[in-house]
Each structure stands twice: as structure tokens, then as C-alpha cells.
Amino acid sequence: MSNHNKIRPLDKNNPNGKYKILFSSPQSKKSNIPMEFRGLQIFNTKSQAEEALKKRKQLTKILEEKRAKSMIGNNRAIGNSGGDLSNLVQFNSEVQKLKKAKITRAKQLYKEGFQKSEILRKIIMEFNLNRDLRSRSWPKWLSDL
């Protein structure tokens, strides 16, 4: 439960007295958030507290829009931009063909009576994979046999 951005009386015994709002504080020293909207702030009346909270929520919207605009044209995440599945290596057609070939061969060896550890060693050797022959952790597709 968050305590941020909620108006509360400063003294629980005197609800008509001063009010407080706990605003979140940014982690960095450089911030677009003014000091009046950081940390614990105390107000003389409830209407002042409500007005400050309203201004802080408007500022949040403005800052989010500004951040979104600044990200347009950002090329730092090329290769993994926006969760586009076509960018992921595991969906490459060659990778899929290799995986299907390994699964098919593993099923053949399983039907012939080989144990899973033997199947893994044979597949590593047959497909020239860069894995340790003594590896005891096998891929999920081998576990599902």
C-alpha cells in the first residue's frame, strides 16, 4: 500500500488543523520535479493540499508526455525494439529448423531405448553443438520427451 500522494491530517486528533502530503522523491539529484513536490509537504488548509496534489498530478502527465517525445527516434534499443518478435533470434527460420531436427532425432533415439543423458550426448556430437558432453542440464524440449 502506497503512502504517496495522499492528503492526511498532520495531527490525527485535530482533523481541522494542518494537512500533509508525502510526495515521492526522485533518486537522482537532477530532476524536473520542483522541490515543492518532493518529500513530505505540510499545508495550512485542506484546500491548499488538494490544490498542490492536483498540480502535482498535472505535472506528472506533462513529464510523461515530455519523456515520450524525447524517446522518439531513440536507436539505443535496435534489435529489441518494442517487443517485435521478428527481431528475436529464436524465431529465425534457421534456428527453428535446427531445433526441429534435434527434436526429431531425439525422439528417434528415445524410441530406440536410449536414456535422456545419452540422447543429449549424441545430439551434441551429431549437430556439433558448443556444449559440454558431460552436461547434465538438458533443454526443455528434451525434458518433454
Side-chain angles (χ1 to χ4, degrees), residues 92-104:
N92 187 335
S93 61
E94 294 175 16
V95 173
Q96 288 294 315
K97 286 178 188 176
L98 179 63
K99 182 178 177 182
K100 286 179 184 177
K102 290 189 292 187
I103 292 171
T104 304

Side-chain angles (χ1 to χ4, degrees), residues 102 105 109 116-139 141-142:
K102 290 189 292 187
R105 181 65 179 135
L109 293 170
K116 288 185 179 181
S117 56
E118 295 171 324
I119 292 171
L120 182 59
R121 273 187 245 120
K122 286 185 176 274
I123 288 178
I124 290 170
M125 289 174 51
E126 288 179 18
F127 289 92
N128 291 329
L129 302 177
N130 289 332
R131 288 191 62 167
D132 186 6
L133 285 173
R134 295 169 290 159
S135 176
R136 301 184 111 209
S137 63
W138 43 60
W141 55 264
L142 185 57

Side-chain angles (χ1 to χ4, degrees), residues 33-63:
I33 301 172
M35 291 303 289
E36 64 185 278
F37 297 126
R38 296 185 195 184
L40 182 66
Q41 300 293 326
I42 298 172
F43 302 93
N44 290 326
T45 63
K46 190 170 185 175
S47 62
Q48 288 177 340
E50 288 171 349
E51 184 66 28
L53 186 59
K54 183 179 174 184
K55 286 181 181 178
R56 176 63 177 100
K57 288 183 178 181
Q58 289 174 345
L59 177 65
T60 300
K61 289 179 185 177
I62 292 169
L63 292 176

